Amino acid sequence: MTTLDLSRAELALIVLYLNKAEARDKICRAIQYGSKFLSSGQPGTAQTVDKNTSLARKVFRLFKFVNDFHGLISPVPKGTPLPLVLLGKSKNALLSTFLFLDQIVWLGRSGIYKNKERTELLGRISLFCWLGSSVCTSAVEIGELGRLSASMKKMEKELKDDEKHKDGLYHAKLQKSNERTLALIKSSMDIVVAIGLLQLVPKTVTPRVTGAFGFTTSLISCYQLLPSRPKFKTP
C-alpha cells in the first residue's frame, strides 16, 4: 500500500463523510454555536453568523421528522424493559414534533409564513419538545448502560482476565458501552443547550455557556458520524 493509495483512501473517507446531509448539518451547527459563544449574545458579526447559520440549518432538516415518526411506529427489540420502551417512544414523538414544528418556524423566519407571533410561539414549543426528547434520551442511555454493565459483569465471571478481551462478544459489548456513554454525555449537555435557548435560567445558562455546550455536542455529533476506516493488509 503506497502513500498515494493511503491518501486516496483518506480522501475518499472525507468525501463519503461530507456527502452526508447529517454531517454537513452538524458542521454548520458547530459554526452556529461557536459563533454564539464568541458573540455572548451581543450584536455584531458573530451574532449575525449565529442567526444566519441557524436559519440555514433548518433547510437540512426538512422532512427529517419522518425518521423519528418511523422510529415511533417501529417495533422494539424483544426483551427491552417497558420503561425503556416508553422512554424511547416518547423521545421519538417529541423529536418528531420538534422537527415538524421547526419547518413552520423556518417558513416564518424566511418570510413565507407571515404570522410572526405564531412563529415565535411554535419556535418555543419546538424547543420544549427538544428539551423533553433530550431528557428521554439521557434516561434511555442510563437504562441501557445499566443493562450492558450487568451483562458484562456476568460475562466477566465466566471468562478469565486474559480471555475477556479476546472474546468477540465481550469486546462488542464494551464498544457499545463506550458509544452509549458518549451519547449520554451529548444528550445531557444538549439539555443545558435547550435550557439556554429557552432562557429558563438566563443568569446561569448564559449565551456563552449555551454556545460552549452546543459547540461541544456538535463536535461529538461530528465524531459519531465519522465513517469507519478500512483495514489495509500489509504486504
Short mmCIF file of all heavy atoms in Angstrom, two decimals, residues 132-166:
data_model
loop_
_atom_site.label_atom_id
_atom_site.label_comp_id
_atom_site.label_asym_id
_atom_site.label_seq_id
_atom_site.Cartn_x
_atom_site.Cartn_y
_atom_site.Cartn_z
N GLY A 132 -37.44 17.98 26.05
CA GLY A 132 -38.02 16.73 26.52
C GLY A 132 -37.40 15.51 25.88
O GLY A 132 -37.14 14.51 26.57
N SER A 133 -37.12 15.59 24.58
CA SER A 133 -36.51 14.44 23.90
C SER A 133 -35.09 14.20 24.39
O SER A 133 -34.66 13.04 24.51
CB SER A 133 -36.50 14.67 22.38
OG SER A 133 -35.55 15.65 22.01
N SER A 134 -34.36 15.27 24.74
CA SER A 134 -33.00 15.11 25.28
C SER A 134 -33.03 14.46 26.65
O SER A 134 -32.17 13.63 26.97
CB SER A 134 -32.30 16.48 25.34
OG SER A 134 -32.15 17.04 24.06
N VAL A 135 -34.03 14.83 27.46
CA VAL A 135 -34.18 14.21 28.79
C VAL A 135 -34.49 12.72 28.63
O VAL A 135 -33.90 11.87 29.32
CB VAL A 135 -35.30 14.91 29.59
CG1 VAL A 135 -35.60 14.14 30.87
CG2 VAL A 135 -34.90 16.35 29.93
N CYS A 136 -35.41 12.40 27.71
CA CYS A 136 -35.75 10.99 27.46
C CYS A 136 -34.55 10.20 26.95
O CYS A 136 -34.32 9.06 27.35
CB CYS A 136 -36.90 10.90 26.46
SG CYS A 136 -38.50 11.44 27.10
N THR A 137 -33.78 10.82 26.05
CA THR A 137 -32.59 10.16 25.51
C THR A 137 -31.60 9.85 26.62
O THR A 137 -31.03 8.75 26.68
CB THR A 137 -31.92 11.05 24.44
OG1 THR A 137 -32.84 11.30 23.39
CG2 THR A 137 -30.67 10.37 23.87
N SER A 138 -31.37 10.82 27.52
CA SER A 138 -30.45 10.60 28.64
C SER A 138 -30.92 9.45 29.52
O SER A 138 -30.12 8.60 29.94
CB SER A 138 -30.32 11.89 29.47
OG SER A 138 -29.76 12.93 28.71
N ALA A 139 -32.22 9.42 29.79
CA ALA A 139 -32.78 8.36 30.63
C ALA A 139 -32.64 6.99 29.96
O ALA A 139 -32.30 6.00 30.62
CB ALA A 139 -34.25 8.65 30.93
N VAL A 140 -32.88 6.94 28.64
CA VAL A 140 -32.72 5.68 27.90
C VAL A 140 -31.28 5.20 27.94
O VAL A 140 -31.00 4.02 28.17
CB VAL A 140 -33.19 5.85 26.44
CG1 VAL A 140 -32.76 4.64 25.60
CG2 VAL A 140 -34.70 6.01 26.37
N GLU A 141 -30.33 6.13 27.73
CA GLU A 141 -28.92 5.76 27.73
C GLU A 141 -28.48 5.25 29.10
O GLU A 141 -27.70 4.30 29.20
CB GLU A 141 -28.05 6.95 27.30
CG GLU A 141 -28.27 7.42 25.87
CD GLU A 141 -28.03 6.35 24.83
OE1 GLU A 141 -27.31 5.37 25.13
OE2 GLU A 141 -28.55 6.47 23.71
N ILE A 142 -28.97 5.88 30.16
CA ILE A 142 -28.64 5.41 31.52
C ILE A 142 -29.18 3.99 31.73
O ILE A 142 -28.48 3.12 32.26
CB ILE A 142 -29.23 6.37 32.57
CG1 ILE A 142 -28.48 7.71 32.54
CG2 ILE A 142 -29.13 5.76 33.97
CD1 ILE A 142 -29.11 8.79 33.39
N GLY A 143 -30.42 3.75 31.30
CA GLY A 143 -31.01 2.43 31.43
C GLY A 143 -30.27 1.37 30.63
O GLY A 143 -30.01 0.27 31.12
N GLU A 144 -29.91 1.71 29.38
CA GLU A 144 -29.21 0.75 28.53
C GLU A 144 -27.79 0.49 29.04
O GLU A 144 -27.29 -0.63 28.94
CB GLU A 144 -29.16 1.27 27.09
CG GLU A 144 -30.51 1.30 26.38
CD GLU A 144 -31.06 -0.09 26.11
OE1 GLU A 144 -30.39 -1.09 26.39
OE2 GLU A 144 -32.20 -0.18 25.61
N LEU A 145 -27.15 1.52 29.58
CA LEU A 145 -25.82 1.33 30.17
C LEU A 145 -25.89 0.40 31.37
O LEU A 145 -24.99 -0.43 31.59
CB LEU A 145 -25.22 2.68 30.57
CG LEU A 145 -24.58 3.49 29.44
CD1 LEU A 145 -24.26 4.91 29.92
CD2 LEU A 145 -23.30 2.82 28.95
N GLY A 146 -26.96 0.52 32.14
CA GLY A 146 -27.15 -0.39 33.28
C GLY A 146 -27.31 -1.83 32.83
O GLY A 146 -26.74 -2.75 33.44
N ARG A 147 -28.08 -2.03 31.77
CA ARG A 147 -28.28 -3.39 31.23
C ARG A 147 -26.96 -3.95 30.69
O ARG A 147 -26.63 -5.12 30.91
CB ARG A 147 -29.31 -3.36 30.12
CG ARG A 147 -30.72 -3.01 30.56
CD ARG A 147 -31.65 -2.93 29.39
NE ARG A 147 -31.87 -4.26 28.80
CZ ARG A 147 -32.31 -4.46 27.56
NH1 ARG A 147 -32.53 -3.44 26.75
NH2 ARG A 147 -32.50 -5.69 27.11
N LEU A 148 -26.21 -3.11 29.98
CA LEU A 148 -24.92 -3.55 29.43
C LEU A 148 -23.94 -3.90 30.55
O LEU A 148 -23.22 -4.90 30.46
CB LEU A 148 -24.32 -2.46 28.54
CG LEU A 148 -24.72 -2.45 27.07
CD1 LEU A 148 -24.20 -1.19 26.38
CD2 LEU A 148 -24.20 -3.69 26.35
N SER A 149 -23.91 -3.06 31.58
CA SER A 149 -23.00 -3.29 32.69
C SER A 149 -23.30 -4.61 33.38
O SER A 149 -22.39 -5.39 33.70
CB SER A 149 -23.11 -2.14 33.70
OG SER A 149 -22.29 -2.36 34.81
N ALA A 150 -24.58 -4.89 33.60
CA ALA A 150 -24.97 -6.16 34.25
C ALA A 150 -24.59 -7.35 33.38
O ALA A 150 -24.09 -8.38 33.88
CB ALA A 150 -26.48 -6.16 34.50
N SER A 151 -24.78 -7.22 32.06
CA SER A 151 -24.44 -8.30 31.13
C SER A 151 -22.93 -8.54 31.09
O SER A 151 -22.47 -9.69 31.07
CB SER A 151 -24.96 -7.96 29.73
OG SER A 151 -24.57 -8.94 28.79
N MET A 152 -22.15 -7.44 31.11
CA MET A 152 -20.69 -7.57 31.07
C MET A 152 -20.13 -8.16 32.35
O MET A 152 -19.18 -8.95 32.33
CB MET A 152 -20.06 -6.20 30.78
CG MET A 152 -20.30 -5.70 29.35
SD MET A 152 -19.75 -3.99 29.09
CE MET A 152 -17.98 -4.19 29.25
N LYS A 153 -20.72 -7.80 33.48
CA LYS A 153 -20.27 -8.36 34.75
C LYS A 153 -20.52 -9.87 34.81
O LYS A 153 -19.71 -10.63 35.35
CB LYS A 153 -20.98 -7.66 35.91
CG LYS A 153 -20.44 -6.26 36.19
CD LYS A 153 -21.19 -5.61 37.35
CE LYS A 153 -20.62 -4.23 37.63
NZ LYS A 153 -21.35 -3.54 38.73
N LYS A 154 -21.63 -10.28 34.23
CA LYS A 154 -21.95 -11.70 34.18
C LYS A 154 -20.93 -12.44 33.32
O LYS A 154 -20.48 -13.55 33.67
CB LYS A 154 -23.35 -11.89 33.62
CG LYS A 154 -23.84 -13.34 33.64
CD LYS A 154 -25.26 -13.44 33.11
CE LYS A 154 -25.73 -14.90 33.12
NZ LYS A 154 -27.11 -15.03 32.60
N MET A 155 -20.53 -11.82 32.19
CA MET A 155 -19.54 -12.44 31.32
C MET A 155 -18.17 -12.48 31.98
O MET A 155 -17.40 -13.43 31.80
CB MET A 155 -19.46 -11.67 29.99
CG MET A 155 -20.68 -11.81 29.10
SD MET A 155 -20.44 -11.02 27.48
CE MET A 155 -19.22 -12.14 26.76
N GLU A 156 -17.84 -11.42 32.74
CA GLU A 156 -16.54 -11.36 33.41
C GLU A 156 -16.38 -12.50 34.43
O GLU A 156 -15.27 -12.99 34.66
CB GLU A 156 -16.37 -10.02 34.11
CG GLU A 156 -16.10 -8.87 33.14
CD GLU A 156 -16.12 -7.51 33.82
OE1 GLU A 156 -16.40 -7.48 35.04
OE2 GLU A 156 -15.88 -6.51 33.13
N LYS A 157 -17.48 -12.90 35.05
CA LYS A 157 -17.41 -14.02 36.00
C LYS A 157 -17.15 -15.34 35.30
O LYS A 157 -16.55 -16.25 35.87
CB LYS A 157 -18.73 -14.10 36.78
CG LYS A 157 -18.95 -12.94 37.74
CD LYS A 157 -20.28 -13.07 38.46
CE LYS A 157 -20.50 -11.90 39.43
NZ LYS A 157 -21.81 -12.00 40.13
N GLU A 158 -17.63 -15.42 34.05
CA GLU A 158 -17.49 -16.67 33.29
C GLU A 158 -16.15 -16.75 32.55
O GLU A 158 -15.68 -17.84 32.23
CB GLU A 158 -18.64 -16.80 32.29
CG GLU A 158 -20.01 -16.88 32.94
CD GLU A 158 -21.14 -16.82 31.94
OE1 GLU A 158 -20.84 -16.62 30.74
OE2 GLU A 158 -22.32 -16.97 32.34
N LEU A 159 -15.55 -15.56 32.24
CA LEU A 159 -14.30 -15.52 31.48
C LEU A 159 -13.14 -15.15 32.38
O LEU A 159 -13.28 -14.40 33.34
CB LEU A 159 -14.41 -14.49 30.34
CG LEU A 159 -15.47 -14.75 29.26
CD1 LEU A 159 -15.59 -13.54 28.36
CD2 LEU A 159 -15.11 -15.99 28.44
N LYS A 160 -11.96 -15.65 32.04
CA LYS A 160 -10.75 -15.27 32.76
C LYS A 160 -10.28 -13.91 32.25
O LYS A 160 -10.68 -13.45 31.20
CB LYS A 160 -9.66 -16.31 32.52
CG LYS A 160 -10.00 -17.69 33.08
CD LYS A 160 -8.89 -18.68 32.79
CE LYS A 160 -9.24 -20.07 33.34
NZ LYS A 160 -8.18 -21.06 33.03
N ASP A 161 -9.40 -13.27 33.05
CA ASP A 161 -8.93 -11.93 32.70
C ASP A 161 -8.28 -11.87 31.32
O ASP A 161 -8.47 -10.91 30.57
CB ASP A 161 -7.93 -11.42 33.75
CG ASP A 161 -8.63 -11.11 35.07
OD1 ASP A 161 -9.85 -10.90 35.05
OD2 ASP A 161 -7.94 -11.10 36.11
N ASP A 162 -7.51 -12.89 30.98
CA ASP A 162 -6.81 -12.88 29.70
C ASP A 162 -7.72 -13.33 28.55
O ASP A 162 -7.35 -13.22 27.38
CB ASP A 162 -5.57 -13.79 29.76
CG ASP A 162 -5.91 -15.22 30.15
OD1 ASP A 162 -6.99 -15.41 30.74
OD2 ASP A 162 -5.12 -16.12 29.86
N GLU A 163 -8.92 -13.82 28.88
CA GLU A 163 -9.83 -14.29 27.84
C GLU A 163 -10.86 -13.24 27.43
O GLU A 163 -11.29 -13.21 26.29
CB GLU A 163 -10.58 -15.54 28.34
CG GLU A 163 -9.70 -16.77 28.48
CD GLU A 163 -10.50 -17.96 29.00
OE1 GLU A 163 -11.63 -17.73 29.51
OE2 GLU A 163 -10.01 -19.10 28.91
N LYS A 164 -11.26 -12.38 28.37
CA LYS A 164 -12.38 -11.49 28.10
C LYS A 164 -12.10 -10.49 26.99
O LYS A 164 -12.99 -10.14 26.21
CB LYS A 164 -12.83 -10.76 29.37
CG LYS A 164 -11.79 -9.85 29.99
CD LYS A 164 -12.35 -9.24 31.29
CE LYS A 164 -11.35 -8.29 31.92
NZ LYS A 164 -11.87 -7.73 33.18
N HIS A 165 -10.83 -10.00 26.88
CA HIS A 165 -10.52 -9.04 25.83
C HIS A 165 -10.32 -9.71 24.47
O HIS A 165 -10.28 -9.03 23.45
CB HIS A 165 -9.27 -8.24 26.21
CG HIS A 165 -9.50 -7.32 27.38
ND1 HIS A 165 -10.34 -6.23 27.31
CD2 HIS A 165 -9.02 -7.35 28.64
CE1 HIS A 165 -10.36 -5.61 28.48
NE2 HIS A 165 -9.57 -6.28 29.30
N LYS A 166 -10.20 -11.05 24.48
CA LYS A 166 -10.12 -11.79 23.22
C LYS A 166 -11.51 -12.25 22.76
O LYS A 166 -11.67 -12.66 21.61
CB LYS A 166 -9.20 -13.01 23.39
CG LYS A 166 -7.75 -12.64 23.69
CD LYS A 166 -6.92 -13.89 23.91
CE LYS A 166 -5.48 -13.55 24.27
NZ LYS A 166 -4.66 -14.77 24.52
#
